[in-house]
Amino acid sequence: MGNLQEQLLELRARTGMNRRQFADYFGIPYRTVQDWELGSRQMPEYLLRLMEYKVRMEDKAGTNGHI
């Protein structure tokens, strides 16, 4: 499993969301998230950083009920 793939799986696990919720939350097609998690496609590194930032900021603001 690639490093980005592992980090994505860890991020989703921290949010407590299933794959569908996670994809909807970020506005990313479900199939794309699935491909990234299964290693069929590699996600851009900058996108993972942005996703982590959004989760962190919304968690601090208390606006995300999933985290």
Side-chain angles (χ1 to χ4, degrees):
M1 194 170 355
N3 191 33
L4 289 175
Q5 184 182 2
E6 290 172 5
Q7 290 175 44
L8 178 63
L9 289 167
E10 289 170 11
L11 177 63
R12 185 164 68 83
R14 285 197 318 262
T15 67
M17 295 181 207
N18 65 34
R19 194 178 284 159
R20 170 68 60 200
Q21 293 167 328
F22 191 78
D24 291 346
Y25 176 71
F26 287 106
I28 298 170
Y30 176 85
R31 185 60 183 249
T32 300
V33 174
Q34 182 181 43
D35 287 347
W36 289 340
E37 288 187 354
L38 297 176
S40 305
R41 296 171 55 188
Q42 185 164 346
M43 71 179 305
E45 185 176 342
Y46 77 89
L47 186 55
L48 181 62
R49 288 194 309 264
L50 289 171
M51 292 165 79
E52 289 174 337
Y53 179 79
K54 176 181 170 82
V55 168
R56 240 184 1 260
M57 291 300 106
E58 292 198 355
D59 185 36
K60 286 182 183 176
T63 59
N64 186 352
H66 296 289
I67 300 174

Short mmCIF file of all heavy atoms in Angstrom, two decimals:
data_model
loop_
_atom_site.label_atom_id
_atom_site.label_comp_id
_atom_site.label_asym_id
_atom_site.label_seq_id
_atom_site.Cartn_x
_atom_site.Cartn_y
_atom_site.Cartn_z
N MET A 1 0.85 -1.18 0.00
CA MET A 1 0.00 0.00 0.00
C MET A 1 0.89 1.23 0.00
O MET A 1 1.82 1.33 0.78
CB MET A 1 -0.90 -0.03 1.23
CG MET A 1 -2.02 0.95 1.14
SD MET A 1 -3.35 0.86 2.39
CE MET A 1 -3.09 -0.51 3.40
N GLY A 2 0.60 2.16 -0.88
CA GLY A 2 1.40 3.38 -0.98
C GLY A 2 1.15 4.32 0.18
O GLY A 2 0.13 4.25 0.85
N ASN A 3 2.08 5.19 0.42
CA ASN A 3 2.00 6.12 1.53
C ASN A 3 0.75 7.00 1.45
O ASN A 3 0.07 7.19 2.45
CB ASN A 3 3.27 6.96 1.59
CG ASN A 3 3.37 7.75 2.88
OD1 ASN A 3 2.91 7.30 3.92
ND2 ASN A 3 3.95 8.92 2.80
N LEU A 4 0.48 7.57 0.29
CA LEU A 4 -0.71 8.42 0.15
C LEU A 4 -1.99 7.62 0.38
O LEU A 4 -2.93 8.10 1.00
CB LEU A 4 -0.76 9.08 -1.24
CG LEU A 4 0.28 10.16 -1.51
CD1 LEU A 4 0.17 10.64 -2.96
CD2 LEU A 4 0.09 11.33 -0.57
N GLN A 5 -1.99 6.41 -0.10
CA GLN A 5 -3.14 5.54 0.08
C GLN A 5 -3.37 5.29 1.57
O GLN A 5 -4.50 5.39 2.06
CB GLN A 5 -2.89 4.23 -0.66
CG GLN A 5 -4.03 3.26 -0.65
CD GLN A 5 -3.68 1.97 -1.37
OE1 GLN A 5 -2.56 1.80 -1.86
NE2 GLN A 5 -4.61 1.06 -1.44
N GLU A 6 -2.32 4.97 2.30
CA GLU A 6 -2.43 4.75 3.74
C GLU A 6 -2.92 6.00 4.46
O GLU A 6 -3.78 5.93 5.34
CB GLU A 6 -1.08 4.34 4.33
CG GLU A 6 -0.63 2.97 3.93
CD GLU A 6 0.79 2.67 4.36
OE1 GLU A 6 1.40 3.50 5.07
OE2 GLU A 6 1.30 1.60 4.00
N GLN A 7 -2.37 7.15 4.09
CA GLN A 7 -2.76 8.40 4.72
C GLN A 7 -4.23 8.72 4.46
O GLN A 7 -4.94 9.22 5.34
CB GLN A 7 -1.88 9.54 4.23
CG GLN A 7 -0.46 9.46 4.74
CD GLN A 7 0.42 10.54 4.15
OE1 GLN A 7 0.02 11.70 4.06
NE2 GLN A 7 1.61 10.16 3.73
N LEU A 8 -4.70 8.44 3.25
CA LEU A 8 -6.10 8.67 2.92
C LEU A 8 -7.01 7.78 3.77
O LEU A 8 -8.01 8.23 4.33
CB LEU A 8 -6.37 8.43 1.43
CG LEU A 8 -7.81 8.60 0.98
CD1 LEU A 8 -8.28 10.04 1.19
CD2 LEU A 8 -7.96 8.19 -0.47
N LEU A 9 -6.64 6.51 3.88
CA LEU A 9 -7.43 5.59 4.70
C LEU A 9 -7.44 6.03 6.17
O LEU A 9 -8.47 5.95 6.84
CB LEU A 9 -6.87 4.17 4.56
CG LEU A 9 -7.12 3.50 3.21
CD1 LEU A 9 -6.27 2.26 3.05
CD2 LEU A 9 -8.59 3.18 3.02
N GLU A 10 -6.30 6.50 6.66
CA GLU A 10 -6.22 6.98 8.04
C GLU A 10 -7.09 8.22 8.23
O GLU A 10 -7.77 8.35 9.25
CB GLU A 10 -4.77 7.28 8.42
CG GLU A 10 -3.92 6.04 8.58
CD GLU A 10 -2.44 6.35 8.73
OE1 GLU A 10 -2.07 7.53 8.92
OE2 GLU A 10 -1.65 5.40 8.65
N LEU A 11 -7.06 9.13 7.26
CA LEU A 11 -7.87 10.34 7.34
C LEU A 11 -9.35 9.98 7.41
O LEU A 11 -10.10 10.49 8.24
CB LEU A 11 -7.59 11.27 6.16
CG LEU A 11 -8.44 12.55 6.12
CD1 LEU A 11 -8.15 13.43 7.32
CD2 LEU A 11 -8.17 13.32 4.82
N ARG A 12 -9.77 9.10 6.54
CA ARG A 12 -11.19 8.71 6.54
C ARG A 12 -11.56 8.02 7.84
O ARG A 12 -12.62 8.28 8.42
CB ARG A 12 -11.52 7.80 5.35
CG ARG A 12 -13.01 7.50 5.29
CD ARG A 12 -13.45 6.97 3.96
NE ARG A 12 -12.97 5.66 3.65
CZ ARG A 12 -13.54 4.52 4.08
NH1 ARG A 12 -14.60 4.54 4.84
NH2 ARG A 12 -13.03 3.36 3.70
N ALA A 13 -10.68 7.19 8.37
CA ALA A 13 -10.93 6.52 9.64
C ALA A 13 -11.08 7.54 10.77
O ALA A 13 -11.97 7.41 11.62
CB ALA A 13 -9.80 5.54 9.96
N ARG A 14 -10.25 8.58 10.76
CA ARG A 14 -10.35 9.62 11.79
C ARG A 14 -11.67 10.37 11.72
O ARG A 14 -12.17 10.82 12.74
CB ARG A 14 -9.18 10.62 11.67
CG ARG A 14 -7.87 10.08 12.16
CD ARG A 14 -6.83 11.16 12.42
NE ARG A 14 -6.76 12.21 11.43
CZ ARG A 14 -5.89 12.27 10.42
NH1 ARG A 14 -5.00 11.31 10.26
NH2 ARG A 14 -5.89 13.27 9.59
N THR A 15 -12.21 10.52 10.53
CA THR A 15 -13.47 11.25 10.40
C THR A 15 -14.66 10.41 10.85
O THR A 15 -15.72 10.96 11.15
CB THR A 15 -13.74 11.70 8.94
OG1 THR A 15 -13.96 10.55 8.12
CG2 THR A 15 -12.60 12.55 8.40
N GLY A 16 -14.50 9.09 10.84
CA GLY A 16 -15.61 8.21 11.20
C GLY A 16 -16.63 8.07 10.09
O GLY A 16 -17.72 7.54 10.31
N MET A 17 -16.30 8.54 8.91
CA MET A 17 -17.24 8.48 7.78
C MET A 17 -17.02 7.19 6.99
O MET A 17 -15.91 6.68 6.90
CB MET A 17 -16.99 9.65 6.82
CG MET A 17 -17.28 11.01 7.39
SD MET A 17 -16.97 12.27 6.11
CE MET A 17 -16.58 13.67 7.13
N ASN A 18 -18.11 6.72 6.37
CA ASN A 18 -17.94 5.64 5.42
C ASN A 18 -17.47 6.27 4.10
O ASN A 18 -17.37 7.49 3.97
CB ASN A 18 -19.22 4.81 5.26
CG ASN A 18 -20.38 5.57 4.65
OD1 ASN A 18 -20.21 6.44 3.80
ND2 ASN A 18 -21.59 5.24 5.09
N ARG A 19 -17.17 5.43 3.14
CA ARG A 19 -16.60 5.94 1.88
C ARG A 19 -17.56 6.90 1.16
O ARG A 19 -17.14 7.92 0.62
CB ARG A 19 -16.23 4.77 0.98
CG ARG A 19 -15.33 5.18 -0.17
CD ARG A 19 -14.96 3.99 -1.02
NE ARG A 19 -13.94 3.20 -0.37
CZ ARG A 19 -13.71 1.92 -0.66
NH1 ARG A 19 -14.44 1.29 -1.55
NH2 ARG A 19 -12.76 1.27 -0.03
N ARG A 20 -18.84 6.59 1.16
CA ARG A 20 -19.84 7.44 0.49
C ARG A 20 -19.91 8.81 1.16
O ARG A 20 -19.90 9.84 0.50
CB ARG A 20 -21.22 6.76 0.51
CG ARG A 20 -22.38 7.63 0.06
CD ARG A 20 -22.36 7.98 -1.40
NE ARG A 20 -22.42 6.81 -2.23
CZ ARG A 20 -22.05 6.79 -3.51
NH1 ARG A 20 -21.61 7.89 -4.08
NH2 ARG A 20 -22.10 5.70 -4.22
N GLN A 21 -19.99 8.84 2.48
CA GLN A 21 -20.05 10.10 3.22
C GLN A 21 -18.79 10.93 2.97
O GLN A 21 -18.86 12.14 2.79
CB GLN A 21 -20.20 9.83 4.72
CG GLN A 21 -21.50 9.20 5.12
CD GLN A 21 -21.47 8.66 6.54
OE1 GLN A 21 -20.43 8.21 7.03
NE2 GLN A 21 -22.61 8.71 7.21
N PHE A 22 -17.66 10.26 2.99
CA PHE A 22 -16.38 10.93 2.79
C PHE A 22 -16.31 11.56 1.40
O PHE A 22 -15.93 12.72 1.26
CB PHE A 22 -15.26 9.89 2.97
CG PHE A 22 -13.87 10.44 3.05
CD1 PHE A 22 -13.41 11.01 4.23
CD2 PHE A 22 -13.01 10.35 1.98
CE1 PHE A 22 -12.11 11.49 4.33
CE2 PHE A 22 -11.71 10.83 2.06
CZ PHE A 22 -11.26 11.40 3.23
N ALA A 23 -16.71 10.81 0.39
CA ALA A 23 -16.71 11.33 -0.98
C ALA A 23 -17.66 12.52 -1.10
O ALA A 23 -17.30 13.56 -1.69
CB ALA A 23 -17.12 10.22 -1.96
N ASP A 24 -18.85 12.41 -0.54
CA ASP A 24 -19.83 13.50 -0.60
C ASP A 24 -19.33 14.73 0.15
O ASP A 24 -19.50 15.86 -0.30
CB ASP A 24 -21.17 13.06 -0.03
CG ASP A 24 -21.89 12.05 -0.91
OD1 ASP A 24 -21.49 11.87 -2.09
OD2 ASP A 24 -22.85 11.42 -0.41
N TYR A 25 -18.72 14.51 1.30
CA TYR A 25 -18.21 15.61 2.13
C TYR A 25 -17.20 16.47 1.36
O TYR A 25 -17.22 17.68 1.44
CB TYR A 25 -17.56 15.01 3.39
CG TYR A 25 -16.89 16.00 4.30
CD1 TYR A 25 -17.64 16.90 5.06
CD2 TYR A 25 -15.51 16.02 4.43
CE1 TYR A 25 -17.02 17.79 5.92
CE2 TYR A 25 -14.88 16.91 5.29
CZ TYR A 25 -15.64 17.79 6.03
OH TYR A 25 -15.03 18.68 6.87
N PHE A 26 -16.35 15.80 0.58
CA PHE A 26 -15.32 16.53 -0.17
C PHE A 26 -15.74 16.85 -1.60
O PHE A 26 -15.00 17.51 -2.33
CB PHE A 26 -14.01 15.74 -0.19
CG PHE A 26 -13.31 15.75 1.13
CD1 PHE A 26 -13.30 14.63 1.94
CD2 PHE A 26 -12.65 16.89 1.58
CE1 PHE A 26 -12.66 14.65 3.16
CE2 PHE A 26 -12.01 16.92 2.80
CZ PHE A 26 -12.01 15.79 3.60
N GLY A 27 -16.91 16.38 -2.03
CA GLY A 27 -17.37 16.65 -3.39
C GLY A 27 -16.55 15.92 -4.44
O GLY A 27 -16.33 16.41 -5.54
N ILE A 28 -16.11 14.72 -4.08
CA ILE A 28 -15.29 13.90 -4.97
C ILE A 28 -16.13 12.68 -5.36
O ILE A 28 -16.80 12.10 -4.49
CB ILE A 28 -14.00 13.45 -4.26
CG1 ILE A 28 -13.15 14.67 -3.89
CG2 ILE A 28 -13.19 12.48 -5.13
CD1 ILE A 28 -11.99 14.35 -2.98
N PRO A 29 -16.12 12.30 -6.62
CA PRO A 29 -16.91 11.12 -7.01
C PRO A 29 -16.52 9.89 -6.18
O PRO A 29 -15.34 9.65 -5.90
CB PRO A 29 -16.54 10.91 -8.48
CG PRO A 29 -16.12 12.27 -8.95
CD PRO A 29 -15.44 12.91 -7.77
N TYR A 30 -17.52 9.13 -5.79
CA TYR A 30 -17.31 7.92 -4.98
C TYR A 30 -16.28 7.00 -5.63
O TYR A 30 -15.39 6.48 -4.95
CB TYR A 30 -18.65 7.20 -4.81
CG TYR A 30 -18.53 5.88 -4.08
CD1 TYR A 30 -18.55 5.84 -2.70
CD2 TYR A 30 -18.39 4.69 -4.78
CE1 TYR A 30 -18.43 4.64 -2.01
CE2 TYR A 30 -18.27 3.48 -4.11
CZ TYR A 30 -18.29 3.46 -2.74
OH TYR A 30 -18.16 2.28 -2.07
N ARG A 31 -16.42 6.79 -6.92
CA ARG A 31 -15.53 5.86 -7.63
C ARG A 31 -14.07 6.32 -7.55
O ARG A 31 -13.16 5.50 -7.45
CB ARG A 31 -15.98 5.73 -9.09
CG ARG A 31 -15.22 4.71 -9.89
CD ARG A 31 -15.37 3.33 -9.25
NE ARG A 31 -14.60 2.34 -9.97
CZ ARG A 31 -15.12 1.37 -10.70
NH1 ARG A 31 -16.42 1.25 -10.78
NH2 ARG A 31 -14.37 0.53 -11.31
N THR A 32 -13.85 7.63 -7.57
CA THR A 32 -12.49 8.16 -7.47
C THR A 32 -11.90 7.85 -6.11
O THR A 32 -10.76 7.37 -6.01
CB THR A 32 -12.49 9.69 -7.73
OG1 THR A 32 -13.00 9.93 -9.04
CG2 THR A 32 -11.10 10.26 -7.61
N VAL A 33 -12.67 8.10 -5.05
CA VAL A 33 -12.20 7.79 -3.70
C VAL A 33 -11.92 6.29 -3.57
O VAL A 33 -10.91 5.87 -3.01
CB VAL A 33 -13.20 8.26 -2.63
CG1 VAL A 33 -12.79 7.81 -1.24
CG2 VAL A 33 -13.35 9.78 -2.66
N GLN A 34 -12.82 5.50 -4.12
CA GLN A 34 -12.64 4.04 -4.09
C GLN A 34 -11.35 3.64 -4.79
O GLN A 34 -10.57 2.84 -4.26
CB GLN A 34 -13.84 3.38 -4.76
CG GLN A 34 -13.79 1.86 -4.76
CD GLN A 34 -14.98 1.27 -5.45
OE1 GLN A 34 -15.41 1.74 -6.50
NE2 GLN A 34 -15.55 0.24 -4.86
N ASP A 35 -11.10 4.19 -5.97
CA ASP A 35 -9.88 3.88 -6.71
C ASP A 35 -8.63 4.28 -5.93
O ASP A 35 -7.63 3.57 -5.93
CB ASP A 35 -9.88 4.56 -8.08
CG ASP A 35 -10.85 3.92 -9.06
OD1 ASP A 35 -11.34 2.80 -8.79
OD2 ASP A 35 -11.11 4.54 -10.11
N TRP A 36 -8.67 5.44 -5.28
CA TRP A 36 -7.54 5.89 -4.48
C TRP A 36 -7.29 4.93 -3.33
O TRP A 36 -6.16 4.56 -3.04
CB TRP A 36 -7.77 7.28 -3.93
CG TRP A 36 -7.74 8.38 -4.92
CD1 TRP A 36 -7.17 8.38 -6.16
CD2 TRP A 36 -8.29 9.70 -4.75
NE1 TRP A 36 -7.35 9.59 -6.78
CE2 TRP A 36 -8.03 10.41 -5.94
CE3 TRP A 36 -8.99 10.31 -3.72
CZ2 TRP A 36 -8.42 11.74 -6.11
CZ3 TRP A 36 -9.40 11.63 -3.90
CH2 TRP A 36 -9.11 12.33 -5.07
N GLU A 37 -8.35 4.54 -2.63
CA GLU A 37 -8.20 3.67 -1.47
C GLU A 37 -7.76 2.27 -1.85
O GLU A 37 -7.03 1.62 -1.10
CB GLU A 37 -9.51 3.61 -0.68
CG GLU A 37 -9.81 4.88 0.07
CD GLU A 37 -11.01 4.76 0.99
OE1 GLU A 37 -11.69 3.71 0.98
OE2 GLU A 37 -11.25 5.73 1.75
N LEU A 38 -8.20 1.79 -2.99
CA LEU A 38 -7.83 0.45 -3.43
C LEU A 38 -6.50 0.42 -4.18
O LEU A 38 -6.00 -0.65 -4.52
CB LEU A 38 -8.94 -0.14 -4.31
CG LEU A 38 -10.28 -0.34 -3.61
CD1 LEU A 38 -11.33 -0.82 -4.60
CD2 LEU A 38 -10.15 -1.29 -2.44
N GLY A 39 -5.94 1.59 -4.46
CA GLY A 39 -4.65 1.65 -5.13
C GLY A 39 -4.72 1.57 -6.64
O GLY A 39 -3.70 1.43 -7.31
N SER A 40 -5.93 1.66 -7.21
CA SER A 40 -6.07 1.62 -8.67
C SER A 40 -5.56 2.91 -9.31
O SER A 40 -5.12 2.89 -10.45
CB SER A 40 -7.54 1.44 -9.06
OG SER A 40 -8.08 0.31 -8.44
N ARG A 41 -5.69 3.99 -8.55
CA ARG A 41 -5.21 5.31 -9.00
C ARG A 41 -4.52 5.97 -7.83
O ARG A 41 -4.86 5.72 -6.68
CB ARG A 41 -6.38 6.20 -9.43
CG ARG A 41 -7.14 5.68 -10.63
CD ARG A 41 -8.40 6.48 -10.88
NE ARG A 41 -8.15 7.90 -11.03
CZ ARG A 41 -9.11 8.82 -11.09
NH1 ARG A 41 -10.37 8.46 -11.01
NH2 ARG A 41 -8.82 10.09 -11.24
N GLN A 42 -3.56 6.84 -8.13
CA GLN A 42 -2.90 7.57 -7.07
C GLN A 42 -3.44 8.99 -7.01
O GLN A 42 -3.53 9.67 -8.02
CB GLN A 42 -1.39 7.61 -7.28
CG GLN A 42 -0.69 8.27 -6.11
CD GLN A 42 0.79 8.02 -6.08
OE1 GLN A 42 1.29 7.15 -6.78
NE2 GLN A 42 1.50 8.76 -5.28
N MET A 43 -3.80 9.40 -5.82
CA MET A 43 -4.33 10.75 -5.65
C MET A 43 -3.18 11.75 -5.63
O MET A 43 -2.08 11.41 -5.24
CB MET A 43 -5.16 10.85 -4.39
CG MET A 43 -4.37 10.81 -3.11
SD MET A 43 -5.38 10.96 -1.63
CE MET A 43 -6.23 12.46 -1.91
N PRO A 44 -3.43 12.99 -6.05
CA PRO A 44 -2.41 14.02 -5.96
C PRO A 44 -2.09 14.33 -4.50
O PRO A 44 -3.00 14.43 -3.66
CB PRO A 44 -3.05 15.24 -6.63
CG PRO A 44 -4.22 14.72 -7.39
CD PRO A 44 -4.66 13.48 -6.70
N GLU A 45 -0.83 14.47 -4.19
CA GLU A 45 -0.40 14.72 -2.81
C GLU A 45 -1.00 16.02 -2.26
O GLU A 45 -1.42 16.08 -1.11
CB GLU A 45 1.12 14.78 -2.73
CG GLU A 45 1.64 14.91 -1.32
CD GLU A 45 3.15 14.88 -1.24
OE1 GLU A 45 3.80 14.42 -2.19
OE2 GLU A 45 3.66 15.32 -0.20
N TYR A 46 -1.05 17.06 -3.11
CA TYR A 46 -1.59 18.35 -2.64
C TYR A 46 -3.04 18.21 -2.20
O TYR A 46 -3.50 18.88 -1.28
CB TYR A 46 -1.46 19.44 -3.71
CG TYR A 46 -2.48 19.34 -4.82
CD1 TYR A 46 -3.71 19.97 -4.71
CD2 TYR A 46 -2.23 18.59 -5.98
CE1 TYR A 46 -4.66 19.87 -5.72
CE2 TYR A 46 -3.17 18.49 -6.97
CZ TYR A 46 -4.38 19.13 -6.84
OH TYR A 46 -5.32 19.03 -7.83
N LEU A 47 -3.78 17.32 -2.85
CA LEU A 47 -5.19 17.15 -2.51
C LEU A 47 -5.35 16.52 -1.13
O LEU A 47 -6.22 16.93 -0.35
CB LEU A 47 -5.89 16.30 -3.58
CG LEU A 47 -7.38 16.14 -3.44
CD1 LEU A 47 -8.08 17.50 -3.37
CD2 LEU A 47 -7.93 15.34 -4.60
N LEU A 48 -4.50 15.57 -0.81
CA LEU A 48 -4.55 14.98 0.52
C LEU A 48 -4.27 16.04 1.58
O LEU A 48 -4.96 16.10 2.60
CB LEU A 48 -3.56 13.83 0.63
CG LEU A 48 -3.54 13.12 1.99
CD1 LEU A 48 -4.89 12.48 2.30
CD2 LEU A 48 -2.44 12.10 2.05
N ARG A 49 -3.30 16.90 1.33
CA ARG A 49 -2.99 17.97 2.28
C ARG A 49 -4.19 18.90 2.46
O ARG A 49 -4.51 19.31 3.58
CB ARG A 49 -1.76 18.76 1.82
CG ARG A 49 -0.46 17.98 1.97
CD ARG A 49 0.76 18.86 1.83
NE ARG A 49 0.77 19.69 0.64
CZ ARG A 49 1.38 19.38 -0.50
NH1 ARG A 49 2.03 18.25 -0.62
NH2 ARG A 49 1.34 20.21 -1.52
N LEU A 50 -4.87 19.24 1.37
CA LEU A 50 -6.05 20.10 1.46
C LEU A 50 -7.19 19.43 2.23
O LEU A 50 -7.88 20.07 3.02
CB LEU A 50 -6.53 20.50 0.06
CG LEU A 50 -5.65 21.49 -0.70
CD1 LEU A 50 -6.13 21.62 -2.15
CD2 LEU A 50 -5.65 22.84 -0.02
N MET A 51 -7.36 18.13 2.00
CA MET A 51 -8.41 17.40 2.70
C MET A 51 -8.12 17.35 4.20
O MET A 51 -9.01 17.56 5.02
CB MET A 51 -8.52 15.98 2.11
CG MET A 51 -9.04 15.97 0.69
SD MET A 51 -8.78 14.40 -0.14
CE MET A 51 -10.11 13.44 0.55
N GLU A 52 -6.86 17.11 4.55
CA GLU A 52 -6.48 17.09 5.96
C GLU A 52 -6.70 18.46 6.60
O GLU A 52 -7.18 18.56 7.73
CB GLU A 52 -5.02 16.67 6.12
CG GLU A 52 -4.80 15.20 5.81
CD GLU A 52 -3.34 14.79 5.81
OE1 GLU A 52 -2.46 15.66 5.60
OE2 GLU A 52 -3.08 13.59 6.00
N TYR A 53 -6.39 19.51 5.87
CA TYR A 53 -6.57 20.87 6.36
C TYR A 53 -8.05 21.15 6.63
O TYR A 53 -8.43 21.67 7.68
CB TYR A 53 -5.99 21.87 5.36
CG TYR A 53 -6.17 23.30 5.78
CD1 TYR A 53 -5.33 23.88 6.73
CD2 TYR A 53 -7.17 24.09 5.22
CE1 TYR A 53 -5.49 25.20 7.12
CE2 TYR A 53 -7.34 25.41 5.61
CZ TYR A 53 -6.50 25.96 6.56
OH TYR A 53 -6.67 27.26 6.95
N LYS A 54 -8.90 20.79 5.68
CA LYS A 54 -10.35 21.02 5.84
C LYS A 54 -10.88 20.29 7.06
O LYS A 54 -11.63 20.86 7.86
CB LYS A 54 -11.09 20.56 4.57
CG LYS A 54 -12.61 20.67 4.67
CD LYS A 54 -13.27 20.18 3.40
CE LYS A 54 -14.76 20.05 3.52
NZ LYS A 54 -15.49 21.26 3.35
N VAL A 55 -10.50 19.03 7.24
CA VAL A 55 -10.95 18.25 8.39
C VAL A 55 -10.48 18.91 9.68
O VAL A 55 -11.26 19.07 10.63
CB VAL A 55 -10.45 16.80 8.29
CG1 VAL A 55 -10.66 16.05 9.60
CG2 VAL A 55 -11.16 16.07 7.15
N ARG A 56 -9.23 19.33 9.72
CA ARG A 56 -8.68 19.97 10.92
C ARG A 56 -9.41 21.27 11.24
O ARG A 56 -9.78 21.52 12.38
CB ARG A 56 -7.19 20.26 10.71
CG ARG A 56 -6.30 19.60 11.69
CD ARG A 56 -4.82 19.93 11.59
NE ARG A 56 -4.38 20.86 10.59
CZ ARG A 56 -3.82 20.52 9.43
NH1 ARG A 56 -3.64 19.26 9.12
NH2 ARG A 56 -3.42 21.44 8.59
N MET A 57 -9.61 22.10 10.24
CA MET A 57 -10.24 23.40 10.46
C MET A 57 -11.71 23.26 10.88
O MET A 57 -12.18 23.97 11.75
CB MET A 57 -10.14 24.29 9.21
CG MET A 57 -8.74 24.75 8.90
SD MET A 57 -7.99 25.72 10.23
CE MET A 57 -6.81 24.57 10.91
N GLU A 58 -12.43 22.36 10.26
CA GLU A 58 -13.83 22.19 10.61
C GLU A 58 -13.97 21.52 11.97
O GLU A 58 -14.93 21.78 12.68
CB GLU A 58 -14.57 21.44 9.51
CG GLU A 58 -14.66 22.30 8.26
CD GLU A 58 -15.71 21.86 7.28
OE1 GLU A 58 -16.35 20.82 7.50
OE2 GLU A 58 -15.88 22.57 6.29
N ASP A 59 -13.02 20.70 12.32
CA ASP A 59 -13.04 20.08 13.65
C ASP A 59 -12.82 21.15 14.72
O ASP A 59 -13.52 21.19 15.72
CB ASP A 59 -11.94 19.01 13.74
CG ASP A 59 -12.00 18.25 15.06
OD1 ASP A 59 -13.11 18.00 15.56
OD2 ASP A 59 -10.93 17.91 15.58
N LYS A 60 -11.89 22.06 14.48
CA LYS A 60 -11.63 23.14 15.43
C LYS A 60 -12.82 24.08 15.55
O LYS A 60 -13.12 24.60 16.60
CB LYS A 60 -10.38 23.93 15.02
CG LYS A 60 -9.10 23.21 15.26
CD LYS A 60 -7.91 24.05 14.88
CE LYS A 60 -6.62 23.27 15.07
NZ LYS A 60 -5.46 24.02 14.62
N ALA A 61 -13.49 24.30 14.42
CA ALA A 61 -14.64 25.21 14.40
C ALA A 61 -15.89 24.53 14.97
O ALA A 61 -16.89 25.19 15.24
CB ALA A 61 -14.90 25.69 12.98
N GLY A 62 -15.83 23.20 15.09
CA GLY A 62 -16.97 22.46 15.62
C GLY A 62 -18.13 22.40 14.66
O GLY A 62 -19.27 22.21 15.06
N THR A 63 -17.85 22.52 13.35
CA THR A 63 -18.93 22.54 12.36
C THR A 63 -19.16 21.19 11.70
O THR A 63 -20.08 21.05 10.94
CB THR A 63 -18.63 23.57 11.25
OG1 THR A 63 -17.38 23.22 10.63
CG2 THR A 63 -18.57 24.97 11.83
N ASN A 64 -18.34 20.21 12.01
CA ASN A 64 -18.50 18.91 11.35
C ASN A 64 -18.96 17.88 12.38
O ASN A 64 -18.22 17.52 13.26
CB ASN A 64 -17.19 18.48 10.71
CG ASN A 64 -17.34 17.22 9.90
OD1 ASN A 64 -18.39 16.59 9.93
ND2 ASN A 64 -16.32 16.85 9.19
N GLY A 65 -20.15 17.37 12.20
CA GLY A 65 -20.68 16.40 13.13
C GLY A 65 -20.05 15.02 13.04
O GLY A 65 -20.27 14.20 13.90
N HIS A 66 -19.26 14.75 12.01
CA HIS A 66 -18.67 13.43 11.82
C HIS A 66 -17.37 13.26 12.59
O HIS A 66 -16.93 12.16 12.78
CB HIS A 66 -18.39 13.17 10.33
CG HIS A 66 -19.61 13.14 9.51
ND1 HIS A 66 -20.53 12.12 9.56
CD2 HIS A 66 -20.09 14.02 8.60
CE1 HIS A 66 -21.51 12.36 8.72
NE2 HIS A 66 -21.27 13.50 8.13
N ILE A 67 -16.75 14.35 12.97
CA ILE A 67 -15.40 14.25 13.55
C ILE A 67 -15.46 14.41 15.06
O ILE A 67 -16.14 15.21 15.58
CB ILE A 67 -14.47 15.30 12.93
CG1 ILE A 67 -14.40 15.06 11.44
CG2 ILE A 67 -13.09 15.22 13.53
CD1 ILE A 67 -13.65 16.10 10.69
#
